[in-house]
Amino acid sequence: MSHEQSRQHVAPPTSSGRALTRLDVPASVSSATPRGLVLALHGGKQTSRQPVDGRSASWKRMAALQRTIAPDLHEEEISTWLLRYQVRGWNGGAPVADARWALIAV
């Protein structure tokens, strides 16, 4: 497993509150564009209009998972991305729009 630090890019939240954290493949592993990517989506509550911020437990758990799996994926030239939803609740499908936005962004 490569022990070189990943290059991390944290896009500032959009006006809607969405944000992406990207852990790039280190340059020493690949000088080319990554071969693939993993888009991680965190959990939430059934109903809530509260914004997701950096203190959200479900987002923090997924960020920890992202940091854990990134080195092995980077050896395969795969980047990892983590979406932060606009709001904590599913609210009848709210995260679907966020996930579609993230797929277009990545």
Side-chain angles (χ1 to χ4, degrees):
M1 180 181 347
S2 172
H3 294 290
E4 181 168 342
Q5 185 70 21
S6 302
R7 293 173 291 171
Q8 181 173 347
H9 302 280
V10 181
T14 64
S15 60
S16 67
R18 297 174 179 135
L20 286 167
T21 300
R22 176 181 180 180
L23 296 182
D24 270 342
V25 177
S28 65
V29 174
S30 172
S31 59
T33 303
R35 294 184 319 129
L37 65 92
V38 169
L39 174 61
L41 306 172
H42 63 84
K45 297 181 174 194
Q46 185 170 354
T47 330
S48 174
R49 297 277 177 212
Q50 195 173 35
V52 176
D53 59 22
R55 297 174 299 160
S56 166
S58 61
W59 183 85
K60 285 170 69 171
R61 280 191 299 270
M62 192 55 68
L65 177 66
Q66 179 190 29
R67 288 188 304 273
T68 300
I69 65 173
D72 289 338
L73 290 172
H74 289 170
E75 285 185 15
E76 301 300 324
E77 300 181 24
I78 298 172
S79 289
T80 62
W81 296 68
L82 170 59
L83 170 63
R84 183 168 63 195
Y85 300 125
Q86 295 179 70
V87 295
R88 294 178 187 230
W90 300 127
N91 305 319
V96 173
D98 293 345
R100 287 186 176 138
W101 170 84
L103 287 170
I104 291 167
V106 300

